[in-house]
Amino acid sequence: MAGSGKELARHWQYAELPGVDLLRARYIRKEFVRHTHENFVIAAIADGVEVFHHRGADQYAGAGALALVNPDTPHTGRAGVPEGWRYGAVYPSPEVVAEIAAETTFIRGTPGFVSPVLDDPYTVGLVHQVLRAAEDGNALAADTLLRVAVTRLLRLNGGSLPQREVRTAGARIAARARAVLEERLAEPPTLERLAADLGTSPFALLRAFRDTYGMPPHTWLTDARVRRARRLLDAGTTPAETAVAVGFTDQPHLNRHFTRIVGVPPGAYRRERKNVQDARGGLLLPSGAWQNRQLSQAYVRKTEEKRIPPSYGMRSESASPSDCPASPSG
C-alpha cells in the first residue's frame, strides 16, 4: 500500500477482472475534492465513517454500509469521525454492470443505484472477499463474488438511470463548452474567451455548466485531466510525461491533484498497472490449499446451512471466497 503515517491505500487492477478497478484504503485526514468516476463506485466500509457530498446533501456511510455512486456523478469524500474510515471498494465499468443486470435482474434501460448509502453488512463482506480473492490470484472466486455482490445490490437498491437529455439553451451551451474543454485539455481558454466564442456571458456560462455537470468549468477541467492522466498511466506513460500531456505545469502539480481525486500518487498507480500488464497472459489457478479448504468448508456448510444464516464479521477480512452464497439474493 502507498501512503504516509497511518493512512494507507492500494489502487490496483486484477487481470482476470477486466473493466474493474480495486481499492483497499484507510484514511484519517484525507479529503477527496469534488470529482466523478467513469465507473460505478461500490465502497464497503469496514471501520469508521465516511462522509461524501452527493446530489446536494452530505451522506454518511458507517461500518457495515456501502457508499454507492453512479458513473459521472459529482461527489466528494472525507472522514466522518476522528479515527477516519477503512474500506474496500470495487469500481466496475458501466458495461460490466449492464451485463450483470441483463442476466440477473428485470431492470430496463441503463441500470444504476437508487440510494447512495445502503446498510447491508452481507454485501460489505462480499466486496472484501472479492478483494481478497483478487489478491490471492483466485480468478474464479473473484469473478463469482463480484457478480453475486453486484446482483444483490441491484436487486436491493437498483433501478433505471434517467436518460440525460439536452433540452434547455443553457444545457446546450454547457455541452458545447465541455466539448471545447475536452479538445483543448492542455491549453484551455479563459472563461471569458470561452463564453465569447459560444455567444454568451461568463456568468451565464458558469451557471449553465454548474447546473448541467454539478461543478464549475475549472473543477470539471481538473477532473477531466486526471481521467486522461489515468489512461496515459494505464498505457505505461511516465508521470512526468503525463503531467505535460494533460496540461499540468509539472509532475508535482499532477501529483497533488491526482492524489486528491484518485487517493494514491500517480507513481504508485502506474506501478500497479505495470504489474497487471506483466501478469497478463499467465494462467491463474486456485492454489491446492485453497481447493482443499473449499472441499472441507463445503462439507461443513452442507450440514449447517439450513440452521445458520450467512453473516459477516466486520473485522474478519480473511473470510474465504467459499463463503459465497448459493444464490445472488443471499
Side-chain angles (χ1 to χ4, degrees):
M1 286 189 177
S4 60
K6 294 182 180 180
E7 295 194 334
L8 302 170
R10 183 191 180 198
H11 194 296
W12 83 103
Q13 289 180 326
Y14 178 41
E16 300 303 313
L17 287 181
V20 182
D21 279 2
L22 307 169
L23 174 72
R24 278 194 188 276
R26 175 183 176 82
Y27 295 123
I28 301 173
R29 296 171 299 278
K30 176 73 176 177
E31 291 192 13
F32 289 92
V33 298
R34 183 172 291 272
H35 65 285
T36 63
H37 293 276
E38 294 177 300
N39 289 4
F40 284 87
V41 178
I42 301 175
I45 312 300
D47 288 306
V49 177
E50 180 187 12
V51 182
F52 60 104
H53 197 75
H54 179 278
R55 297 197 180 282
D58 280 344
Q59 307 292 335
Y60 294 78
L66 299 110
L68 304 170
V69 182
N70 294 319
D72 298 316
T73 302
H75 61 286
T76 61
R78 70 180 192 277
V81 290
E83 58 269 27
W85 79 104
R86 180 172 63 88
Y87 70 114
V90 294
Y91 301 83
S93 69
E95 293 76 17
V96 169
V97 173
E99 175 193 345
I100 295 173
E103 185 177 355
T104 62
T105 75
F106 295 100
I107 296 176
R108 298 178 181 274
T110 304
F113 301 126
V114 175
S115 173
V117 176
L118 179 66
D119 287 317
D120 185 19
Y122 190 84
T123 307
V124 168
L126 289 176
V127 171
H128 284 277
Q129 290 178 55
V130 171
L131 299 174
R132 176 54 59 86
E135 290 170 334
D136 290 345
N138 190 335
L140 178 60
D143 190 16
T144 301
L145 290 163
L146 175 71
R147 292 175 182 273
V148 171
V150 172
T151 298
R152 180 176 171 86
L153 289 174
L154 289 174
R155 291 180 176 179
L156 293 176
N157 186 42
S160 298
L161 295 180
Q163 296 296 318
R164 289 185 176 179
E165 296 183 8
V166 179
R167 298 177 179 176
T168 66
R172 289 194 293 271
I173 289 176
R176 291 169 58 195
R178 173 172 170 163
V180 172
L181 293 176
E182 285 180 335
E183 184 178 349
R184 300 181 57 183
L185 202 64
E187 297 181 355
T190 65
L191 179 65
E192 182 178 5
R193 181 62 185 175
L194 180 60
D197 290 344
L198 297 176
T200 187
S201 70
F203 282 106
L205 174 58
L206 181 61
R207 286 193 301 270
F209 201 98
R210 187 171 50 213
D211 292 344
T212 303
Y213 298 112
M215 60 183 77
H218 70 279
T219 304
W220 181 92
L221 179 67
T222 300
D223 191 41
R225 283 174 168 172
V226 170
R227 284 193 183 192
R228 183 77 59 83
R230 290 183 62 176
R231 296 192 190 101
L232 292 175
L233 294 169
D234 287 345
T237 307
T238 67
E241 294 171 332
T242 297
V244 175
V246 301
F248 289 117
T249 54
D250 52 25
Q251 185 174 337
H253 193 198
L254 167 66
N255 291 355
R256 183 166 64 255
H257 289 291
F258 194 95
T259 305
R260 293 173 67 192
I261 289 177
V262 181
V264 296
Y269 179 92
R270 180 175 179 266
R271 283 193 297 273
E272 291 287 357
R273 265 50 186 180
K274 185 177 184 302
N275 292 339
V276 171
Q277 293 170 0
D278 292 344
R280 291 190 188 279
L283 182 60
L284 301 176
L285 296 174
S287 66
W290 186 86
Q291 295 182 55
N292 292 336
R293 189 164 66 249
Q294 291 291 93
L295 292 174
S296 62
Q297 291 184 353
Y299 176 80
V300 173
R301 283 202 314 277
K302 191 171 182 179
T303 60
E304 304 224 353
E305 61 187 1
K306 292 184 180 181
R307 59 187 180 86
I308 301 179
S311 61
Y312 173 67
M314 284 307 302
R315 294 188 178 274
S316 178
E317 287 190 19
S318 60
S320 166
S322 63
D323 293 332
C324 171
S327 68
S329 65

